[in-house]
């Protein structure tokens, strides 16, 4: 059967593309090497709880068109991301706001908080930051850096902050209001029923195949469609011609617990370097609010460990150092010469994306 588009990868980019192309009367085939659709949005159903198998996903945007588009597929709830950081037995609200400053220093007013931060930043006065540690101190001072940034960042990147470039944290959100909402966007939530409902809605009426490795039968798949939409690793598409791009990845430990409420919220970051994991996610809080959280006597948590990526692991975060930036420029030059291949998404563009910008990008491409 001849298709207009072969879409390699059933994640958000591929699913939105297939949905919009199908609405225009195009025939699409979506393939994915995993046994399920949805890419990293896929949720496992465990003890009646939608478990974000590949890490937590909160949809947030200020683009009303994007918000209305995803809600036309499935209604989203009003979940608000308000994580907490644990450091040496104390809890601090995130992002950095008046609650954080009060917990850290006992200050109560914005003026007191500003003064405290200004005092802490003085050690970097007149100096140009040469690494992440110095950049962080120049922005928020040593106390916040030592307790809430240093350990977490070093676990996340597997390197000392003094060895990381300053651009990684060019800006740190600092709010002088008592507001724990992590995102500044106008719209925020999680699909009611989980992300599988969103993906299944996007791919309704679209031909899909799972357990299909594009590279195992490349010539056969390429002959099936006029154009290819490729969302996998761009270096693999070109058979690693210039070398392999590097990533950080995440290892998860999922656990079912015989308690209705383990930690009281969806996400706790562990910023103490002595604790090996970066955060614990309790999945029921994404969809069960205060009045309902105790109804299910069990809960599911996921501990996240940031590790170096190796072949065979899931690639998560691009490493945007000089070496990898040079490589991706070479691969992008090849991609620009392709007439019948569209590269899109986190792996194909070697760029970290939130969900909303992916949806916006595909919507704009169809305009």
């Amino acid at each position: 059967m001849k298709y207009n588009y072969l879409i390699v990868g059933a994640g958000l980019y591929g699913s939105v593309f297939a949905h919009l192309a199908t609405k225009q009367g195009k025939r699409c085939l979506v393939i994915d090497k995993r046994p399920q659709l949805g890419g990293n949005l896929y949720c496992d159903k465990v003890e009646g709880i939608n478990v974000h198998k590949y890490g937590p996903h909160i949809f947030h945007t200020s683009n009303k068109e994007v918000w209305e588009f995803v809600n036309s597929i499935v209604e989203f709830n009003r979940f608000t991301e308000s994580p907490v950081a644990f450091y040496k037995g104390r809890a601090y609200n995130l992002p950095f706001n008046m609650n954080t400053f009060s917990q850290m220093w006992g200050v109560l007013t914005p003026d007191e908080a500003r003064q405290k931060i200004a005092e802490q930043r003085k050690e970097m006065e007149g100096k140009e930051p040469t690494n992440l540690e110095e950049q962080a101190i120049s922005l928020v001072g040593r106390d916040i850096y030592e307790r809430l940034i240093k350990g977490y960042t070093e676990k996340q990147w597997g390197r000392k902050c003094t060895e990381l470039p300053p651009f990684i944290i060019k800006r740190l959100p600092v709010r002088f209001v008592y507001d724990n909402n992590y995102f500044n966007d106008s719209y925020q939530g999680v699909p009611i029923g989980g992300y599988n409902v969103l993906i299944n809605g996007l791919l309704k009426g679209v031909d899909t195949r799972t357990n299909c490795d594009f590279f195992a039968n490349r010539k056969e798949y390429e002959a099936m469609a006029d154009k290819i939409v490729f969302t996998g690793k761009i270096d693999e598409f070109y058979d690693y011609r210039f070398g392999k791009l590097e990533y950080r990845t995440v290892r998860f430990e999922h656990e079912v617990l015989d308690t209705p409420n383990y930690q009281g919220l969806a996400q706790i970051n562990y910023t103490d370097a002595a604790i090996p994991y970066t955060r614990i996610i309790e999945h029921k809080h994404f969809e069960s609010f205060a009045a309902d959280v105790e109804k299910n006597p069990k809960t599911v948590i996921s501990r996240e460990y940031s590790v170096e990526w190796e072949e065979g692991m899931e690639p998560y975060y691009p490493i945007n150092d000089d070496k990898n930036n040079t490589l991706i420029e070479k691969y992008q030059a090849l991609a620009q010469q392709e007439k019948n291949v569209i590269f899109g998404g986190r792996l194909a563009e070697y760029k970290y994306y939130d969900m909303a910008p992916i949806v916006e990008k595909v919507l704009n491409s169809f305009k």
Side-chain angles (χ1 to χ4, degrees):
M1 297 178 71
K2 192 74 171 176
Y3 292 92
N4 298 110
Y5 293 105
L6 168 71
I7 299 167
V8 182
L12 188 61
Y13 188 103
S15 298
V16 174
F17 191 102
H19 177 82
L20 296 175
T22 300
K23 285 181 70 174
Q24 289 188 352
K26 306 296 185 183
R27 300 198 63 225
C28 299
L29 171 63
V30 178
I31 65 170
D32 201 289
K33 65 181 180 181
R34 289 177 178 172
Q36 71 274 332
L37 303 171
N40 285 1
L41 294 185
Y42 176 75
C43 295
D44 272 333
K45 199 82 164 181
V46 181
E47 298 292 344
I49 300 164
N50 289 310
V51 175
H52 297 210
K53 184 177 180 179
Y54 299 99
H57 288 84
I58 299 96
F59 199 97
H60 57 97
T61 182
S62 291
N63 186 322
K64 188 176 182 181
E65 179 188 18
V66 168
W67 183 247
E68 290 179 344
F69 171 77
V70 293
N71 275 268
S72 73
I73 307 299
V74 56
E75 184 181 355
F76 279 59
N77 66 18
R78 59 168 185 82
F79 175 80
T80 301
E81 172 72 327
S82 302
V84 165
F86 277 9
Y87 178 79
K88 294 188 182 299
R90 292 194 62 186
Y92 299 89
N93 288 109
L94 297 175
F96 308 142
N97 69 82
M98 283 304 301
N99 288 305
T100 321
F101 309 142
S102 181
Q103 293 151 355
M104 181 95 41
W105 300 308
V107 298
L108 298 176
T109 69
D111 283 344
E112 290 175 324
R114 285 191 179 94
Q115 184 177 346
K116 193 71 178 177
I117 291 173
E119 290 172 2
Q120 297 245 323
R121 294 170 58 189
K122 281 183 179 177
E123 67 175 277
M124 283 300 298
E125 204 169 84
K127 300 178 184 176
E128 185 67 28
T130 60
N131 56 53
L132 188 146
E133 176 173 293
E134 292 178 349
Q135 179 71 59
I137 293 170
S138 72
L139 292 171
V140 291
R142 185 164 288 275
D143 284 351
I144 292 177
Y145 166 70
E146 294 281 357
R147 298 184 204 181
L148 303 181
I149 298 173
K150 185 177 188 292
Y152 189 89
T153 302
E154 291 183 348
K155 286 187 287 186
Q156 201 172 32
W157 289 98
R159 294 160 180 81
K160 297 291 184 184
C161 286
T162 51
E163 299 169 4
L164 291 168
F167 73 79
I168 291 177
I169 54 166
K170 281 185 177 177
R171 294 182 299 111
L172 284 171
V174 176
R175 300 177 186 165
F176 295 97
V177 292
Y178 288 90
D179 182 3
N180 299 324
N181 183 355
Y182 195 78
F183 301 114
N184 288 317
D185 293 301
S186 305
Y187 310 103
Q188 179 180 172
V190 173
I192 295 174
Y195 280 97
N196 295 357
V197 181
L198 173 64
I199 295 298
N200 291 337
L202 289 168
L203 294 177
K204 186 177 181 180
V206 178
D207 289 349
T208 61
R209 298 182 190 177
T210 53
N211 294 305
C212 288
D213 186 345
F214 171 75
F215 296 103
N217 298 286
R218 182 167 182 166
K219 287 186 178 179
E220 177 186 339
Y221 285 124
E222 287 178 334
M224 295 174 68
D226 301 320
K227 290 190 176 184
I228 295 171
V229 178
F230 186 77
T231 70
K233 293 189 295 177
I234 189 171
D235 54 351
E236 187 176 15
F237 185 88
Y238 288 109
D239 198 26
Y240 307 108
R241 185 179 306 180
F242 305 118
K244 294 185 178 182
L245 293 163
E246 297 172 318
Y247 298 86
R248 290 290 291 176
T249 190
V250 184
R251 178 172 64 85
F252 300 96
E253 286 181 357
H254 305 292
E255 185 178 0
V256 178
L257 300 176
D258 290 319
T259 179
N261 189 6
Y262 174 72
Q263 62 185 22
L265 77 169
Q267 177 177 324
I268 294 179
N269 292 358
Y270 287 82
T271 60
D272 188 338
I275 296 173
Y277 42 84
T278 54
R279 59 185 180 179
I280 294 180
I281 304 301
E282 186 171 10
H283 298 269
K284 67 163 41 177
H285 292 287
F286 292 123
E287 297 182 66
S288 298
F289 299 114
D292 303 316
V293 75
E294 305 284 337
K295 291 180 180 178
N296 186 336
K298 295 194 175 185
T299 194
V300 182
I301 64 168
S302 299
R303 297 179 184 87
E304 292 189 17
Y305 299 80
S306 180
V307 295
E308 291 287 345
W309 178 81
E310 295 177 4
E311 199 66 42
M313 294 179 171
E314 292 294 337
Y316 273 79
Y317 306 108
I319 298 176
N320 299 118
D321 57 14
D322 292 340
K323 174 188 172 183
N324 288 288
N325 289 341
T326 299
L327 279 182
I328 188 58
E329 286 175 5
K330 291 180 179 180
Y331 285 120
Q332 287 172 339
L334 291 180
Q336 288 169 5
Q337 297 172 27
E338 300 283 354
K339 294 182 179 179
N340 296 313
V341 183
I342 298 168
F343 294 89
R346 178 175 52 91
L347 301 180
E349 299 179 52
Y350 197 65
K351 180 180 179 182
Y352 180 77
Y353 276 109
D354 280 327
M355 290 177 286
I358 284 284
V359 175
E360 183 175 359
K361 185 167 188 174
V362 183
L363 286 172
N364 287 340
S365 73
F366 273 81
K367 290 177 182 177

